[in-house]
Amino acid sequence: MRWRSLGLLVLVLAVLAVAYYALETKSTLSGPDANRLFQAEEKDVEKISITRGEELLVLKREGDGWRLIEPVQATADGSEVTPLLHTLLETREERRIEETPGNLADYGLERPSLRLSVTLKGGKTLPALLLGDLNPNGRSVYAKRPDQPAVFLATVIVRLRADRKPDDFRDKTLLALEPNQVTQVELAGKGQSISLSHAEGKGWEISKPIKARADAAVIGQLLWKIKDARVTAFVGSGPDAKRRYGLERPDLIVELKDAGGVKRLLLKKAADPRVVYAMAEPGEGVVTIDPAFLDSVPNGPDALKQRTPPASSSP
């Protein structure tokens, strides 16, 4: 009898444990996370796809960063992709509007303005999200799943983050470099070529067209200006882009050497004085930059020579 009672007690405890687990699971799924429209962790997302009309935009994780793979191949701007991904994964169903709407056009969902989808590592694609019009107060957007009739509200932020042009997601860095690692600089144009080199313990020196000590502060400013320069527009790509924008005969070539190799920057003034074309090698096509950048490059070796300190007068 004692063993039968003990067995019955164990069975009862097991049933209670299963019931408790089921209750906890139901509670978790009905909490705030249950309304998240994309159930995933940021680290597990491999790809973000945005369809706007006939245009498909795809962002794919690449190492520690992101790359735009549709409609063009280009490095993506992490500062734009990360907020988009965070918004997608935090977006929730705010309120159910209609379970079976009679006319999706009333919500801008007959022809949705955006279709958003998230693909995880391993290839699993989460259910897509369709976005339509803003609601009357402008703080939410009408949304639905492609395979479900119900219309609900989601935060307008998801539409603001996703409804962007491909160029908005592209990295605007003109030329990636670390100024403190550059050891040689060549400036070809503006009348003559200038060669500068940096040696440990000697500092910067001009070797062409004259031999003289160079001003480290002036060179440092130039290198940081290049590092901080940003693209204002992406205007052309392809094998003939250099020719089409006059960069086969640039006004200035800036060549930089560091431990990673040689990088070149080609610059050309356009007919419009407000536009300067630029092309980085290696790079991803022709872009435009602030014309003030070209004007800020030192003109001639004298602008790069080290200033001789004034001699101190005897008392």
Side-chain angles (χ1 to χ4, degrees), residues 13 23 51 56 73 119 140 144 222 243 260 272 288-289:
L13 289 175
L23 185 62
T51 304
L56 173 64
Q73 291 274 349
T119 302
S140 300
K144 72 181 293 291
L222 171 63
R243 177 191 58 80
D272 184 341
T288 61
I289 60 172

Side-chain angles (χ1 to χ4, degrees), residues 305-311:
K305 287 172 61 177
Q306 186 178 54
R307 274 68 169 171
T308 303

Side-chain angles (χ1 to χ4, degrees), residues 12-62:
V12 170
L13 289 175
V15 171
L16 289 174
V18 171
Y20 176 78
Y21 176 78
L23 185 62
E24 283 293 298
T25 303
K26 182 178 180 181
S27 175
T28 300
L29 292 176
S30 62
D33 280 353
N35 287 333
R36 285 173 56 196
L37 297 173
F38 293 103
Q39 298 279 336
E41 299 296 325
E42 289 191 19
K43 62 182 177 60
D44 296 327
V45 175
E46 179 73 12
K47 193 162 59 176
I48 301 169
S49 300
I50 304 170
T51 304
R52 184 175 62 171
E54 298 298 319
E55 182 179 68
L56 173 64
L57 186 154
V58 181
L59 296 156
K60 189 175 187 297
R61 193 184 292 275
E62 188 176 79

Side-chain angles (χ1 to χ4, degrees), residues 101-147:
N103 188 3
L104 289 174
D106 293 341
Y107 305 103
L109 287 165
E110 185 176 34
R111 295 180 179 177
S113 57
L114 292 174
R115 178 190 176 102
L116 311 176
S117 66
V118 170
T119 302
L120 306 182
K121 294 175 181 177
K124 178 184 177 181
T125 299
L126 301 180
L129 179 67
L130 306 180
L131 301 183
D133 294 338
L134 301 185
N135 74 332
N137 66 24
R139 291 179 295 197
S140 300
V141 60
Y142 294 115
K144 72 181 293 291
R145 298 292 193 184
D147 58 344

Side-chain angles (χ1 to χ4, degrees), residues 50 52 55 57 59 68 70-72 74-84 159-173 231-234:
I50 304 170
R52 184 175 62 171
E55 182 179 68
L57 186 154
L59 296 156
L68 183 66
E70 288 287 349
V72 295
T75 303
D77 185 347
S79 66
E80 293 289 344
V81 180
T82 299
L84 168 65
R159 183 165 134 172
L160 295 176
R161 292 283 189 198
D163 193 9
R164 314 284 297 280
K165 297 178 181 178
D167 285 354
D168 294 330
F169 288 105
R170 293 182 67 170
D171 186 1
K172 308 302 188 299
T173 302
V231 171
T232 56
F234 299 91

Side-chain angles (χ1 to χ4, degrees), residues 3-17:
W3 286 106
R4 289 180 60 187
S5 299
L6 183 59
L8 183 61
L9 179 60
V10 170
L11 181 60
V12 170
L13 289 175
V15 171
L16 289 174

Side-chain angles (χ1 to χ4, degrees), residues 86-269:
H86 181 76
T87 299
L88 288 174
L89 299 186
E90 289 299 317
T91 296
R92 291 165 165 77
E93 179 180 327
E94 295 180 338
R95 181 162 60 89
R96 190 64 62 100
I97 300 299
E98 272 195 88
E99 292 291 346
T100 54
N103 188 3
L104 289 174
D106 293 341
Y107 305 103
L109 287 165
E110 185 176 34
R111 295 180 179 177
S113 57
L114 292 174
R115 178 190 176 102
L116 311 176
S117 66
V118 170
T119 302
L120 306 182
K121 294 175 181 177
K124 178 184 177 181
T125 299
L126 301 180
L129 179 67
L130 306 180
L131 301 183
D133 294 338
L134 301 185
N135 74 332
N137 66 24
R139 291 179 295 197
S140 300
V141 60
Y142 294 115
K144 72 181 293 291
R145 298 292 193 184
D147 58 344
Q148 298 174 13
V151 173
F152 51 86
L153 290 178
T155 175
V156 70
I157 297 174
V158 70
R159 183 165 134 172
L160 295 176
R161 292 283 189 198
D163 193 9
R164 314 284 297 280
K165 297 178 181 178
D167 285 354
D168 294 330
F169 288 105
R170 293 182 67 170
D171 186 1
K172 308 302 188 299
T173 302
L174 178 61
L175 188 67
L177 76 131
E178 290 301 325
N180 295 332
Q181 296 178 11
V182 175
T183 57
Q184 291 183 21
V185 178
E186 297 276 344
L187 302 174
K190 290 200 167 187
Q192 57 187 319
S193 296
I194 304 172
S195 298
L196 304 111
S197 61
H198 181 273
E200 195 67 34
K202 290 186 177 181
W204 283 96
E205 295 182 342
I206 304 173
S207 58
K208 179 183 174 183
I210 62 172
K211 293 188 179 296
R213 291 186 63 83
D215 191 323
V218 174
I219 298 171
Q221 289 174 2
L222 171 63
L223 295 176
W224 278 100
K225 282 179 181 177
I226 296 173
K227 177 180 172 64
D228 293 339
R230 290 294 177 264
V231 171
T232 56
F234 299 91
V235 296
S237 59
D240 66 334
K242 185 187 290 189
R243 177 191 58 80
R244 286 189 288 120
Y245 292 95
L247 287 163
E248 288 182 334
R249 301 181 64 183
D251 294 322
L252 178 66
I253 301 174
V254 181
E255 188 172 287
L256 308 170
K257 183 177 181 180
D258 58 19
V262 176
K263 301 174 182 178
R264 301 173 81 226
L265 185 60
L266 314 180
L267 302 168
K268 179 76 174 181
K269 288 182 179 179

